[in-house]
Amino acid sequence: MRDFMAVARSVAVAEKGMAATSHPQATLAAVEILKAGGNAVDAAIAAVAVQGVVEPQMTGIGGDCFALYSPKAGAPIALNGSGFTPADTIADKYASAGARDIPPTSPESVTVPGAIDAWCTLVADHGSKSLEEIFRPAITAAEQGFCITPRVAADWERFRPRLEGNAAAAAQYLPGGRLPTVGDIRSQPALGATLRRIARDGRQAFYGGAVAEEVIGILRGLGGAHSLEDFAAQKSNYVTPISASYGGYDITECPPNGQGLAALIILRTLAGFDVGKLTEADRIHLLAEATKAAYRARDAYFCDPDTSNIDSASFLSDDYIGVIRDKIDMNRASTIERWDDIEHRDTVYVTVVDRDLNAISLINSLFYPFGSGIYAPKSGVLLHNRGWSFRARPGHPNSLGPRKRPMHTIIPGMMMQNGRAVMPFGVMGGHYQAAGHANLISNILDLGLDIQAAAEAPRSFSFDDVLSLESTIPAAVKDDLSARGHNVRWSEEPIGGCQAIRIDHERGVLFGASDHRKDGLALGF
């Protein structure tokens, strides 16, 4: 039982249905769909559509989507809703400039958005309500207005420069040059009209007609190679999930081109240590070392599986994981280069469980806050910049190329036991997500925390040779980690955000969590 004197939130408890998102309005939309007889898929799509309106810095119909869906808490299926590059993409366009990555505001950073096709596919295959009913809360928010919440306002201010780089985006999101403040009412009427079109006509309303023509015209005007044929060809596909055992459970992820495999590598590494008996500094150090190894593999090999074979099983094998464990020195931080011989950012996450125990874990993203900053004013579409993840160097597995999907950071998760889903979960935060999945699972299974406490626990993240710590971690721990050789810094902002729903099959009860780093909540009935 938690300390009720401490500043914290109780886990949400319900019986007939539960939703957890990073925004109250989205959670409410999901619960209302459930109460009206909709299932988990209907509710999740309603929630994420709302978030594309009320959290425009994080997500929207101009982004990509991944999902894990467990019908009646059974074996999960995975949907890859990420988009491809245009067929006429010039693979070596940035190679001569000596760049490591594709420029984040370039048209090449905008792959064909996959979210709408993913939403339509999930509803058609597994939903029970019409798109018109599912999109109604989002359309109402877009056309009649919505209140700016605290975290949204903070993000809007922090990432204002991305909007200022595009006149159309600035006109919509910074009218008169003014940032929104908490409690301001904003609207997105053009987006509302596009959602109405999609609700009436389905995916074709986005991938063809006036919406596609406007978006393509803007991208081509900036030098992009996008075409109507590219948009028409966009298609989500069902893929086989991957998993690894940890603490008596099976942790399930989507396979590459997402980074879920990195989360499993980290967990497999942690499984060789008695994490529950380690000090806080030891746990942070171990997570940092495991993360370095997993992300080194991710950055070297993870890519579109249609263009390069990725043998997930080999990365999770005892031999591969054994080499990682053997290289970890609990008293000394490693250099990134130590992992060279190991071979063979911003998002919304939604989870819903309905009365029949259908469980969905869904994540949708623009990648960088406000994505590429490229905005189509007539249709209200703000475009993501997932192509930023491509490498500029030809020959790299994740290099820029035609009809190719980039490596993705967004990953939904599902914890299974004895063939049944027991917890759909997700951790937002760009590159942090794989490390975040491993940390959340370890907090629950190694430290015995309930899912709300596990989500609230202080976070760390080792990335780009910097170990970032949230300010809730004691200074003595920071000093200990510095003494081990880590380049430690206090994080300037909260690290990620989390939602999860734990299913108690024996009692027929749902427990929901949504951490304090975002504006959201878990709510059931």
Side-chain angles (χ1 to χ4, degrees), residues 12-19 27-40 43 352-356 501 508-512 522-525:
V13 186
E15 179 185 3
K16 296 181 179 179
M18 176 81 72
T27 300
L28 182 60
V31 170
E32 288 178 339
I33 288 285
L34 291 177
K35 294 182 76 173
N39 66 20
V352 181
V353 178
D354 63 28
R355 58 177 56 80
D356 296 317
I501 299 175
V509 178
L510 305 173
F511 299 92
L523 184 64
F525 69 103

Side-chain angles (χ1 to χ4, degrees), residues 402-483:
R403 286 286 166 90
K404 192 173 182 180
R405 296 172 294 187
M407 188 278 290
H408 263 261
T409 58
I410 60 174
I411 48 172
M414 188 82 72
M415 188 163 78
M416 308 287 295
Q417 188 176 45
N418 300 324
R420 296 191 300 184
V422 295
M423 190 180 75
F425 69 95
V427 179
M428 299 164 282
H431 290 288
Y432 173 69
Q433 290 177 53
H437 277 212
N439 185 52
L440 176 72
I441 295 299
S442 179
N443 285 345
I444 295 169
L445 300 183
D446 292 322
L447 303 186
L449 301 179
D450 73 38
I451 60 173
Q452 182 64 40
E456 291 172 346
R459 291 182 182 149
S460 63
F461 183 35
S462 179
F463 186 69
D464 266 357
D465 209 25
V466 173
L467 178 56
S468 297
L469 306 180
E470 289 188 330
S471 59
T472 47
I473 292 172
V477 172
K478 178 178 182 290
D479 293 342
D480 182 320
L481 294 164
S482 295

Side-chain angles (χ1 to χ4, degrees), residues 1 191 515:
M1 183 173 292
L191 176 57
D515 77 47

